[in-house]
Amino acid sequence: MPEDLDPPARRGHGRRDPGGGGRGLALPGLVVLGAAVTLLTVPLVLGQEEGWPLWGWFSLGLSVLLFALFMVLEARLARRGGAPLVSARVLRAPGMRRAVTVISLTMAANAGFLFAIALHLQSGLGDSALRTGLTFATCAVTFGAVGLNWRRLPVSWRPWLAPAGLLVAAGSFAGLGLALRGGGHGGALLYGTLLPLGAGLGLAFSPTLTLALGKVAPRDAAEASGLLATATQLGQLLGVATLGTLYLNRLDLPGAHPSAHAYAVTSAAMAAVSSVGAVVAVEWRRSGRRRA
């Protein structure tokens, strides 16, 4: 049979193409990563309800060890020529690690915000689910509008979109805490802070995701996309677990408006998380300029 008619598998003598398809499943790394994520998230989700028992702290410590073991297994697999779940080549892509951090912090703040304010509006202020959802709509509209239209801004602005967006979000979180700390609905100030909040989170998330994916090789696009999607989901989970726990812990304190006070404290924490994200995003921009 002529060589050009040979099946691809026979021409390659059964070897996998290192640059593309046919990747095997890195089962040990997958099992260790799944266990690490489970040991991290279960105590964060149940710790408040269970009174932070000893097993929760043990679980958190063990999760750190398993994350370290996962990195060792992935590095060893890559040295042997295997296909790790997250290749070092993708992690070395310009700005990828900082993009993962920025996206995780942005989604953590967003998820913590949605969790805490939903509980405050419904349980603390007695709003219906419909009214609460309509309150969120103002933030969702600006988030979506920014995500669809940020490419129309000048190209020279793009490196600064994420830092600016996170700073806007930090200011908006602080404004929400001030608007709601008295136990009322906040009036016009509530909506005046929700509108820029959605825009700020949109500027932090969508450009970071798009610009990070634009810096990886085409063959790594799927893997990089999966990595950033995982960062998004883990950020949301950790935001609910940590910021939500902070809100629930503050409900037990005495005061005329315990829910309002709890939400004000949580808003300050969300502003701090956003500010940290802004610092990371600025460093990403500076490092990109130095490489250029």
Side-chain angles (χ1 to χ4, degrees):
M1 180 180 292
E3 185 175 277
D4 60 336
L5 296 180
D6 264 352
R10 290 181 58 186
R11 281 204 300 263
H13 302 290
R15 290 177 297 181
R16 292 176 300 176
D17 179 7
R23 291 182 53 166
L25 179 64
L27 186 58
L30 181 63
V31 171
V32 172
L33 179 61
V37 172
T38 301
L39 290 170
L40 175 66
T41 56
V42 168
L44 290 177
V45 172
L46 298 180
Q48 165 69 21
E49 182 179 348
E50 299 294 329
W52 294 105
L54 181 61
W55 65 262
W57 297 107
F58 177 78
S59 176
L60 290 173
L62 185 57
S63 72
V64 175
L65 297 178
L66 288 183
F67 276 119
L69 176 60
F70 169 74
M71 299 303 296
V72 171
L73 290 175
E74 294 292 283
R76 183 179 300 173
L77 181 60
R79 286 196 299 269
R80 293 202 306 262
L85 292 174
V86 180
S87 70
R89 186 174 61 248
V90 171
L91 291 175
R92 287 196 298 266
M96 180 57 68
R97 294 181 183 179
R98 284 193 174 91
V100 168
T101 304
V102 170
I103 287 175
S104 298
L105 292 173
T106 301
M107 289 296 100
N110 181 58
F113 156 70
L114 293 174
F115 178 85
I117 199 171
L119 288 179
H120 174 60
L121 292 178
Q122 294 187 70
S123 300
L125 300 182
D127 289 354
S128 66
L130 176 60
R131 179 172 179 176
T132 300
L134 291 175
T135 302
F136 291 157
T138 54
C139 183
V141 166
T142 51
F143 185 99
V146 167
L148 292 173
N149 294 287
W150 67 267
R151 293 176 183 83
R152 299 182 180 182
L153 297 173
V155 175
S156 60
W157 292 11
R158 292 183 180 179
W160 295 105
L161 294 181
L166 284 165
L167 288 177
V168 170
S172 299
F173 284 131
L176 280 173
L178 292 174
L180 298 173
R181 66 175 181 174
H185 282 85
L189 182 58
L190 172 65
Y191 297 97
T193 51
L194 286 175
L195 286 170
L197 174 60
L201 293 173
L203 282 175
F205 178 77
S206 186
T208 300
L209 180 68
T210 303
L211 296 176
L213 289 177
K215 294 181 180 179
V216 300
R219 63 176 178 174
D220 296 327
E223 189 172 347
S225 178
L227 174 63
L228 293 173
T230 301
T232 299
Q233 294 168 353
L234 286 178
Q236 291 173 332
L237 177 59
L238 293 175
V240 171
T242 56
L243 296 170
T245 297
L246 175 63
Y247 171 80
L248 294 174
N249 278 335
R250 305 299 294 187
L251 286 176
D252 297 332
L253 298 180
H257 304 287
S259 179
H261 173 72
Y263 184 76
V265 172
T266 307
S267 288
M270 291 184 287
V273 170
S274 300
S275 298
V276 171
V279 172
V280 174
V282 167
E283 289 301 316
W284 180 24
R285 191 265 176 194
R286 288 177 176 172
S287 62
R289 184 173 59 181
R290 286 195 296 266
R291 282 192 295 268

